[in-house]
Amino acid sequence: MAEDPLLFPPVLSNSGVTELVQAHYPIRDVDTDSIRLLAGYEDCNYYLKLCSVSSSENEYVFKVMNKKDSQFPDFYDALSKLMQFITAEGLTCPLPIQPTTMPVGIFTIPLKRSFLLQTSLEDDCTYVGVLLSYLPGKMLSEVEQSPNLLYQVGEFVGRLSTSLQGFSHPYFETRCLISDLKNFLMSRPLLKYVDSMEDKKALESVFRQYSEYVQPRLAYFRTGTVHNDLNCDNLLCINIGNSWKLSGVIDVMDAVVSYSVFDGAIFIAFMMMHAHECTNPLEYVLPAILGYLNNYTLNKEEFGSLYYLVACHLTVMYLHGLENSLLHPDNLYRARFLNKSYRALKALLDTPKGDVEKLWQMARQNVPSYNLQQ
């Protein structure tokens, strides 16, 4: 599968970022030397701060969207409303800044081609950008993950799932993403890249379990908007009193209306992938699962499917990572989860479903006393 050139964003110079921000927003003293390109794949995200102050309230991210997303005004309208909704619910995420040159409620600005250093295609496409408030902190993947912190992560995801059941947008309702677990079977053709017959057999079993167990129960799952990419790079932490606390969530670009329990499965899968090599992923992730289950009560069908759904997301991460490592070996961003997803999936499939669910249930009945104020 060739990489989609529409997903490669254009590139701006630091002076171009400064000129655009100061021309379209109520900001006049951007520190051009502070501008740096943040990690990302489908968009370019430029960190910037103001010259006159050091407060995090005067730090921003200027996001330049790729060609594909720039063509759909409903897409960034949905994103802006979702970020505003999450914040209104008392959960922290970046907020779009209103341009002074656009009507109220329109948060994106068009980018003239003269500002672009590099684009994926030489055409007449109008790219768009949006200025977001900056959420300070380190990515969860960069900090020591204590049981208290893992519990906070699960607690946050549970609260987010509850809140997002109250949000909808027409764009998210009609969006179709291969990463959405209701489209899990779309990844089945990627089994052709698996050389080991033993591994292929194990992965085939995950697709079979989804078809035979999960699909017949989807009617019992609650629906809502899901973040759909709750990985350890999209959850931020701050250090307070020599301990790390969860501070918020970023990157809602993959949001879609789907089944709310999918966000739980996705974050559990990513947390298992982050477990150290000397640690049992199933035991490592227990505090996070407890935080989640204590703040988002799953019904019988949702809980009975959670094991399979975690396996499904790990399978998606492994197969797409494998495909990209073979077809696009220079794309380290997409292949970065390959080995981690394989290890976590093996640990899960090597443990019978009943044993895993018993572990989760027993842990809930004997919840450790996590002091979240430390």
Side-chain angles (χ1 to χ4, degrees):
M1 179 188 300
E3 290 191 313
D4 187 350
L6 299 183
L7 295 181
F8 289 100
V11 178
L12 303 179
S13 66
N14 284 10
S15 60
V17 173
T18 298
E19 186 174 347
L20 281 166
V21 169
Q22 294 187 158
H24 291 277
Y25 298 92
I27 295 173
R28 295 293 177 267
D29 56 347
V30 173
D31 180 358
T32 302
D33 292 336
S34 73
I35 297 173
R36 67 179 189 272
L37 185 62
L38 302 175
Y41 176 65
E42 294 182 354
D43 302 298
C44 281
N45 300 291
Y46 297 92
Y47 165 86
L48 60 98
K49 66 179 181 180
L50 307 188
C51 295
S52 57
V53 287
S54 58
S55 168
S56 63
E57 294 181 357
N58 291 284
E59 297 175 279
Y60 302 91
V61 173
F62 186 65
K63 176 183 285 289
V64 180
M65 295 188 179
N66 61 62
K67 175 185 171 75
K68 184 176 182 180
D69 292 338
S70 292
Q71 297 178 51
F72 297 102
D74 285 349
F75 174 58
Y76 32 90
D77 179 67
L79 294 178
S80 298
K81 287 182 169 58
L82 175 57
M83 289 185 281
Q84 292 172 321
F85 178 85
I86 291 173
T87 301
E89 288 291 297
L91 301 168
T92 306
C93 76
L95 280 173
I97 307 299
Q98 175 67 53
T100 56
T101 56
M102 301 297 289
V104 174
I106 304 298
F107 293 98
T108 54
I109 61 171
L111 307 184
K112 295 180 180 179
R113 293 189 64 81
S114 58
F115 283 101
L116 309 180
L117 292 180
Q118 175 186 338
T119 59
S120 58
L121 295 175
E122 292 299 327
D123 57 16
D124 296 327
C125 171
T126 298
Y127 292 89
V128 299
V130 60
L131 187 66
L132 302 172
S133 60
Y134 176 71
L135 190 59
K138 285 184 172 292
M139 295 183 293
L140 181 62
S141 59
E142 298 177 323
V143 307
E144 181 179 353
Q145 298 180 5
S146 67
N148 284 346
L149 180 57
L150 294 179
Y151 186 91
Q152 290 176 55
V153 172
E155 182 181 48
F156 182 91
V157 175
R159 291 176 58 200
L160 182 64
S161 292
T162 299
S163 294
L164 290 183
Q165 286 184 335
F167 177 84
S168 64
H169 189 283
Y171 183 86
F172 291 147
E173 292 174 1
T174 58
R175 195 180 195 192
C176 180
L177 297 176
I178 198 168
S179 59
D180 183 357
L181 287 179
K182 70 170 178 277
N183 300 321
F184 173 63
L185 297 180
M186 292 172 61
S187 295
R188 193 169 200 156
L190 301 186
L191 287 170
K192 65 184 180 183
Y193 295 113
V194 181
D195 290 330
S196 166
M197 292 305 298
E198 180 180 358
D199 290 345
K200 184 174 291 188
K201 182 178 179 181
L203 293 168
E204 280 278 14
S205 73
V206 179
F207 285 100
R208 184 175 63 254
Q209 289 163 352
Y210 182 88
S211 297
E212 295 178 358
Y213 190 93
V214 177
Q215 277 192 320
R217 289 164 173 77
L218 291 177
Y220 300 98
F221 292 4
R222 289 163 292 176
T223 59
T225 300
V226 297
H227 181 284
N228 202 40
D229 193 21
L230 289 169
N231 67 63
C232 295
D233 292 347
N234 287 336
L235 294 164
L236 298 187
C237 308
I238 55 175
N239 193 293
I240 301 177
N242 294 321
S243 65
W244 291 101
K245 306 295 183 185
L246 190 72
S247 59
V249 64
I250 60 174
D251 193 357
V252 296
M253 300 292 288
D254 288 333
V256 64
V257 169
S258 193
Y259 298 101
S260 299
V261 67
F262 288 174
D263 260 351
I266 289 170
F267 108 88
I268 292 170
F270 277 121
M271 296 304 298
M272 289 180 64
M273 288 163 57
H274 194 73
H276 301 295
E277 291 187 4
C278 59
T279 306
N280 182 327
L282 290 170
E283 295 179 357
Y284 176 82
V285 78
L286 272 181
I289 293 175
L290 293 179
Y292 173 67
L293 295 178
N294 286 340
N295 286 273
Y296 187 71
T297 303
L298 300 181
N299 64 38
K300 179 181 177 181
E301 304 296 345
E302 291 168 336
F303 184 81
S305 301
L306 188 59
Y307 172 96
Y308 295 131
L309 293 172
V310 174
C312 289
H313 188 68
L314 290 171
T315 298
V316 168
M317 297 305 298
Y318 175 70
L319 288 177
H320 286 270
L322 181 60
E323 178 193 36
N324 281 280
S325 69
L326 295 173
L327 301 185
H328 316 292
D330 294 334
N331 188 342
L332 300 180
Y333 187 86
R334 282 192 167 187
R336 61 192 172 135
F337 294 130
L338 180 59
N339 293 332
K340 292 181 178 181
S341 58
Y342 179 85
R343 176 176 173 267
L345 181 59
K346 189 176 188 308
L348 184 65
L349 296 182
D350 285 348
T351 310
K353 176 177 181 286
D355 291 351
V356 173
E357 291 179 341
K358 184 177 180 180
L359 179 66
W360 294 346
Q361 293 282 27
M362 289 179 62
R364 285 197 71 192
Q365 295 168 6
N366 300 279
V367 179
S369 178
Y370 295 114
N371 185 352
L372 305 183
Q373 302 305 315
Q374 288 185 354

